[in-house]
């Protein structure tokens, strides 16, 4: 700076001296003023070049300046570099922050003070049916038209969440969203949406299950307490007393069956999946099932069922013995219970050419109408309630079979039509089937 002032005044002095020699006072002032004007124009041009560059800074157009202007340019460049760095850092942080919200399992929508969408993550876009780009700046009330949501949005009380139907919700595949608004900043709102479909379904299932179990227990309990009252109050003959006691035993057996099936189901749900380790000879499992089936048939001599057990290829099956026995015997018991007098029941095992195993129970019973087939393995689902109860059914047998089958990586298929009998087949994967050399030759 000192040198600039020194040079400025030196130029004036030189011009003034020159002007003096040329024409005394007028020359002196003329030369002095002209030097100042030239100086002013020269400096203005340099300042304008710098100002133009500051307005649109770029590496390619950096002006070539010297001295004072070069230092000013350098300092401005440094400030701009620092500013750009700070912007890049905060943009990076914002991008990371938005990426974190994108990764959230919940829908997130940022609303400005006029309730217009400023940003939303992909989950929210799917949940509400937004287009994450096109719908920016749209009023939320124009896009989420659910009356429950609109009433909630308009109300002053947003402390609690409300549950609304998701965009893709249909009667057969409902989608339920719990949404809540959280105010922040100056009049802005954060809208959080949580998919609670599974939770609501689990709740409904639990409620249904408790209602079903209570109903199943209440019926035999009512019958039992009725008999107890009769025995206590009436003077009964020995024969009548015997008959009542037999009926009471039947009801308590029904409750025992129910509790036992419930315990089996909860054990199946709570225990780890069976690995491929324990090998069970199919022939011995079939023999055990046959023994139990014949014992059950003997209890129903009036039905005169014809039972047939066939093992086409001996093999060993990997799994949990008690579970497999429970599933197989459930299918056989159903066939015996639902077949009318002189029914024919064929229980078979075969190793298929692809190495998979097939266990099948075929009966000549009443069969099942096609509309019932998809729901048959649901807990407490019965086609014929009275027949199921009369024969000691709990409505849980096929649910147990389904669980065991799934746990063993197998598949259950049911083939039946009304009046044509039924065929229940369990298809085991080849990894669970083992055949020794001699077993293969014996087949
Ligand atoms: P349940 O204890 O009532 O037999 P399950 O879960 O074992 O319960 O079976 C569900 C329903 O499927 C039964 O109530 C019955 O209506 C039907 N069902 C099962 N097996 C047969 C079969 N072999 N023939 C005809 N209907 C059957």
């Amino acid at each position: 700076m000192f040198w600039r002032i020194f040079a400025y005044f030196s130029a004036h002095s030189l011009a003034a001296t020159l002007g003096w020699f040329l024409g005394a006072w007028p020359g002196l002032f003329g030369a002095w003023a002209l030097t100042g004007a030239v100086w002013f124009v020269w400096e203005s041009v340099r300042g304008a070049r710098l100002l133009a560059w500051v307005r649109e800074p770029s590496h390619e157009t950096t002006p070539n300046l010297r001295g004072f202007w070069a230092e000013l340019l350098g300092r401005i460049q440094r400030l701009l570099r620092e500013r750009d760095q700070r912007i890049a850092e905060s943009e990076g942080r914002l991008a990371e922050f938005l990426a974190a919200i994108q990764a959230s399992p919940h829908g997130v929508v940022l609303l400005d003070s006029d309730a217009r969408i400023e940003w939303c993550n992909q989950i929210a876009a799917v949940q509400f049916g937004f287009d994450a780009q096109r719908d920016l700046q749209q009023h939320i009330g124009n896009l989420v038209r659910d009356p429950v949501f609109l009433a909630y949005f308009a109300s002053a009380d947003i402390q609690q969440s409300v549950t609304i139907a998701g965009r893709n919700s249909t009667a057969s595949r409902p989608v339920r969203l719990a949404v809540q608004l959280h105010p922040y900043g100056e009049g802005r709102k954060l809208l959080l949406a949580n998919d609670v479909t599974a939770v609501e379904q689990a709740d409904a299932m639990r409620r249904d299950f408790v209602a079903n179990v209570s109903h199943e227990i209440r019926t035999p309990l009512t019958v039992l307490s009725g008999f107890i009252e009769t025995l206590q109050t009436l003077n009964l003959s020995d024969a009548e007393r015997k008959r009542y006691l037999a009926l009471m035993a039947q009801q308590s057996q029904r409750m025992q069956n129910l509790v036992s099936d419930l315990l089996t189901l909860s054990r199946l749900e709570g225990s780890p999946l069976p690995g491929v380790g324990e090998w069970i000879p199919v022939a011995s499992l079939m023999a055990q099932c046959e023994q139990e089936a014949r014992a059950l048939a003997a209890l129903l001599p009036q039905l005169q069922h014809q039972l047939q057990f066939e093992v086409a290829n001996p093999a060993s099956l990997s799994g949990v013995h008690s579970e497999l026995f429970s599933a197989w015997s459930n299918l056989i018991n159903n066939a015996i219970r639902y077949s009318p007098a002189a029914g024919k029941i064929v229980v078979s095992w075969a190793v298929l050419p692809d190495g998979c195993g097939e266990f099948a129970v075929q009966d000549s019973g009443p069969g099942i109408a096609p509309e019932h087939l998809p729901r048959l393995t649901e807990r407490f689902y019965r086609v014929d309630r009275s027949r199921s109860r009369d024969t000691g059914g709990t409505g849980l047998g096929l649910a147990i079979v389904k669980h065991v089958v799934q746990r063993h990586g197998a598949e259950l298929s049911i083939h039946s039509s009304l009046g044509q009998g039924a065929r229940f087949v369990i298809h085991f994967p080849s990894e669970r089937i083992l055949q020794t050399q001699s077993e293969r030759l014996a087949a």
Side-chain angles (χ1 to χ4, degrees):
M1 195 64 187
F2 168 77
W3 287 111
R4 288 187 75 70
I5 296 166
F6 178 74
Y8 178 76
F9 282 111
S10 302
H12 270 303
S13 309
L14 200 66
T17 314
L18 200 65
W20 177 264
F21 281 114
L22 289 177
W25 286 107
L28 184 145
F29 281 117
W32 190 78
L34 187 68
T35 313
V38 170
W39 190 276
F40 177 75
V41 170
W42 171 239
E43 291 294 305
S44 296
V45 168
R46 300 213 292 174
R49 281 174 63 203
L50 179 62
L51 186 63
W53 181 83
V54 169
R55 281 189 184 133
E56 277 181 58
S58 127
H59 284 303
E60 288 86 54
T61 57
T62 310
N64 189 9
L65 300 170
R66 289 163 177 276
F68 167 83
W69 293 109
E71 186 180 340
L72 195 58
L73 174 66
R75 284 179 188 276
I76 291 173
Q77 276 179 319
R78 206 174 68 213
L79 286 175
L80 287 177
R81 262 200 310 276
E82 283 171 7
R83 187 203 64 171
D84 288 349
Q85 205 174 339
R86 271 200 301 277
I87 290 174
E89 275 171 15
S90 52
E91 276 178 353
R93 270 201 299 275
L94 181 66
E96 276 172 23
F97 181 66
L98 293 180
I101 305 180
Q102 275 295 9
S104 158
H106 306 300
V108 182
V109 185
L110 304 183
L111 301 173
D112 67 12
S113 52
D114 293 326
R116 293 178 196 284
I117 299 170
E118 280 192 314
W119 185 86
C120 73
N121 67 356
Q122 204 46 44
I123 299 265
V126 173
Q127 286 173 334
F128 294 111
F130 297 159
D131 182 314
Q133 297 303 321
R134 200 190 56 216
D135 289 334
L136 294 184
Q137 293 308 313
Q138 289 284 331
H139 193 281
I140 187 76
N142 293 338
L143 299 175
V144 184
R145 308 285 311 154
D146 191 306
V148 177
F149 175 76
L150 294 176
Y152 171 71
F153 196 78
S155 83
D157 180 20
I158 51 171
Q159 298 291 317
Q160 299 289 322
S161 63
V162 286
T163 306
I164 62 170
R167 180 60 169 236
N168 298 325
S169 186
T170 57
S172 56
R173 274 177 142 256
V175 178
R176 305 286 295 159
L177 301 176
V179 294
Q180 187 166 13
L181 287 162
H182 300 270
Y184 76 100
E186 285 173 16
R188 288 161 191 268
K189 287 191 182 85
L190 174 73
L191 175 66
L192 290 183
N194 189 7
D195 191 331
V196 289
T197 316
V199 177
E200 285 203 347
Q201 277 171 352
D203 265 4
M205 272 173 67
R206 187 184 48 77
R207 276 195 305 274
D208 284 356
F209 184 69
V210 171
N212 275 323
V213 171
S214 314
H215 178 77
E216 294 292 330
I217 289 180
R218 197 182 56 190
T219 315
L221 264 182
T222 314
V223 178
L224 265 181
S225 55
F227 284 139
I228 290 170
E229 212 179 298
T230 312
L231 287 171
Q232 280 172 335
T233 51
L234 293 181
N235 238 344
L236 298 170
S237 67
D238 269 2
E240 280 173 325
R241 184 178 290 270
K242 247 188 189 159
R243 198 167 66 84
Y244 281 143
L245 285 173
L247 288 169
M248 287 167 75
Q250 202 182 15
Q251 294 304 321
S252 71
Q253 183 61 47
R254 192 172 144 191
M255 283 196 286
Q256 253 175 25
N257 290 347
L258 179 68
V259 171
S260 146
D261 277 359
L262 285 172
L263 285 174
T264 306
L265 264 179
S266 87
R267 253 198 311 273
L268 286 174
E269 281 173 345
S271 51
L273 287 179
V276 183
E278 191 191 340
W279 291 97
I280 306 148
V282 171
S284 76
L285 194 58
M286 281 288 262
Q288 216 179 334
C289 289
E290 183 171 354
Q291 201 181 359
E292 202 205 51
R294 294 200 184 282
L296 177 67
L299 291 175
L300 310 162
Q302 74 283 9
L303 292 180
Q304 299 275 318
H305 284 328
Q306 189 191 331
L307 298 178
Q308 202 173 313
F309 285 77
E310 298 167 354
V311 177
N313 334 72
S316 291
L317 177 59
S318 158
V320 180
H321 183 277
S322 58
E323 291 185 18
L324 291 170
F325 175 67
S326 160
W328 289 18
S329 57
N330 256 307
L331 293 181
I332 301 169
N333 288 358
N334 277 355
I336 296 173
R337 284 168 41 229
Y338 291 106
S339 292
K344 184 174 179 194
I345 292 138
V346 181
V347 182
S348 61
W349 164 266
V351 177
L352 304 177
D354 60 0
C356 296
E358 190 183 88
F359 172 80
V361 181
Q362 167 90 52
D363 67 49
S364 58
I368 305 155
E371 66 267 24
H372 295 293
L373 294 178
R375 300 197 56 194
L376 229 48
T377 54
E378 284 177 22
R379 292 165 189 203
F380 298 112
Y381 188 84
R382 291 163 167 123
V383 178
D384 182 346
R385 290 194 164 267
S386 57
R387 177 154 190 127
S388 161
R389 294 215 176 92
D390 290 350
T391 56
T394 59
L396 296 173
L398 289 181
I400 292 175
V401 174
K402 185 184 83 177
H403 260 77
V404 172
V405 164
Q406 280 177 347
R407 285 165 57 77
H408 286 78
E411 266 175 41
L412 171 71
S413 51
I414 309 170
H415 313 268
S416 182
S417 51
L418 264 184
Q420 300 294 309
R423 181 175 158 84
F424 289 77
V425 181
I426 304 179
H427 192 90
F428 289 93
S430 56
E431 310 87 79
R432 290 202 173 263
I433 311 296
L434 188 72
Q435 269 190 308
T436 60
Q437 188 72 21
S438 54
E439 281 174 337
R440 230 173 273 132
L441 291 173

